[in-house]
Amino acid sequence: MILVSFPFSVSKPLTMALSNSSWRLLHPSFFLMGIPGLEESQHWIALPLCVLYLLAVMGNVSIIFIVWTDSSLHQPMYLFLAMLSGIDLVLASSTAPKTLAVLLVHAHEIGYTVCLIQMFFIHAFSSMESGVLVAMALDRYVAICHPLHHATILHPGIIGHIGMAVLVRGLLLLLPFPILLQRLVFCRATIIGHAYCEHMAVVKLACSETTVNRAYGLVVALLVVGLDVVAIGISYGLILQTVLKVPGREARLKAFSTCGSHICVILIFYIPGIFSFLTHRFGHQVPHHVHVLLATLYLLVPPALNPLVYGVKTQQIRQRVMRVFSLKGQF
């Protein structure tokens, strides 16, 4: 039997389960630990995660339904919001069910192919969410800096092309992740110290050369997050330049207020994601359970909060939601 040392404590039942397992070299089943070091508290941790997932499902389905059924909301801002909700729905549903199964009923094992599929969906749709946030920044730039041409520049055809470009970029950039992982050899117990299949966590388990996998993961992160953050920064720099030229304090505040929801969503998405990425690669002093918790929340908090942010800050969405609930109350 191959002895494996772990940077975190392993419970006795887990050790027995691993001792009785036979691990294949090329296509093993993986063992998701959940949140290492917090095994006794995992049931309690699962409760807020379950609430976040339910909020994400209900909120994003509501946004999609409202935008789809209300023709007055078939405008660039709301169409991009519906795209964001669809992506958030897939992102949360790719992560939460298996994570909750691991934490609540100890369904730790995940098949090799299923693990790769989950990994692909998580990373591909995270890339798509970043792309949609760039598109929403572009929409705010055109609406504020070129208001008379907003409808002609961002007409439905252009919005459809932007959505397709975001989808294709996410699929093409992330498709090599599972393909490159196929060439790796796993010659020891394949225990993932996470509650879901995270790319670098799987790569670190391989005993074959992983330089290509690590380099490509870094390149994709820099291309997606780096370029998208720069594009959003340029958009808001131009918006700020235009708004500051507007006479009157109230007019400037009104222009800034139209960007409030989008700025909140950007901060909710990028700050935990960048911190999680940096701690996974460079933050060796950060406790492992802190990183796992942060990485899990990163995939559930934005999908849960985005509908609430836009519901509270966007008058049209708020009014439509209140109208739906008032109609239900009459029956």
Side-chain angles (χ1 to χ4, degrees), residues 222-237:
L222 293 176
L223 280 176
V224 172
V225 178
L227 292 180
D228 288 357
V229 168
V230 169
I232 292 171
I234 292 173
S235 297
Y236 273 100

Side-chain angles (χ1 to χ4, degrees), residues 95-266:
T95 311
K98 184 59 182 178
T99 297
L100 292 174
V102 170
L103 299 180
L104 290 174
V105 298
H106 306 294
H108 294 280
E109 189 171 357
I110 184 170
Y112 178 80
T113 303
V114 176
C115 181
L116 295 191
I117 291 172
Q118 184 190 48
M119 179 195 308
F120 173 74
F121 270 80
I122 288 172
H123 291 287
F125 278 84
S126 294
S127 169
M128 293 178 202
E129 176 149 352
S130 182
V132 171
L133 291 177
V134 174
M136 296 173 85
L138 172 65
D139 169 63
R140 291 298 84 205
Y141 162 72
V142 175
I144 292 173
C145 299
H146 304 283
L148 298 179
H149 304 286
H150 186 216
T152 55
I153 294 174
L154 290 177
H155 57 81
I158 289 294
I159 293 172
H161 284 105
I162 291 174
M164 186 59 64
V166 168
L167 175 66
V168 170
R169 185 190 74 159
L171 295 178
L172 290 182
L173 278 179
L174 278 303
L175 189 59
F177 271 23
I179 294 174
L180 289 173
L181 281 170
Q182 292 275 358
R183 52 183 281 277
L184 298 183
V185 177
F186 301 90
C187 53
R188 64 175 180 265
T190 46
I191 305 168
I192 301 175
H194 265 270
Y196 62 90
C197 285
E198 199 272 338
H199 177 248
M200 283 305 300
V202 176
V203 169
K204 289 178 179 178
L205 296 176
C207 55
S208 55
E209 181 58 47
T210 61
T211 303
V212 175
N213 300 75
R214 293 171 182 268
Y216 186 74
L218 184 59
V219 167
V220 168
L222 293 176
L223 280 176
V224 172
V225 178
L227 292 180
D228 288 357
V229 168
V230 169
I232 292 171
I234 292 173
S235 297
Y236 273 100
L238 295 172
I239 289 171
L240 181 63
Q241 188 178 37
T242 301
V243 170
L244 291 177
K245 294 178 181 178
V246 175
R249 183 171 178 272
E250 290 187 6
R252 287 196 294 270
L253 288 176
K254 184 177 180 181
F256 277 129
S257 69
T258 64
C259 303
S261 300
H262 186 236
I263 292 173
C264 290
V265 169
I266 288 171

Side-chain angles (χ1 to χ4, degrees), residues 48-65 81-82 84-97 100 129 296-308:
L49 296 182
C50 185
V51 171
L52 287 173
Y53 180 54
L54 292 176
L55 284 175
V57 172
M58 293 187 295
N60 288 295
V61 168
S62 298
I63 292 289
I64 294 171
F65 174 77
L81 177 58
L84 186 70
S85 292
I87 291 168
D88 279 341
L89 200 56
V90 175
L91 194 58
S93 298
S94 300
T95 311
L100 292 174
E129 176 149 352
T296 305
L297 290 173
Y298 162 64
L299 296 174
L300 290 177
V301 170
L305 293 187
N306 288 348
L308 296 178

Side-chain angles (χ1 to χ4, degrees), residues 259-278:
C259 303
S261 300
H262 186 236
I263 292 173
C264 290
V265 169
I266 288 171
L267 296 176
I268 290 169
F269 178 75
Y270 281 114
I271 290 177
I274 292 173
F275 185 76
S276 177
F277 172 79
L278 292 176

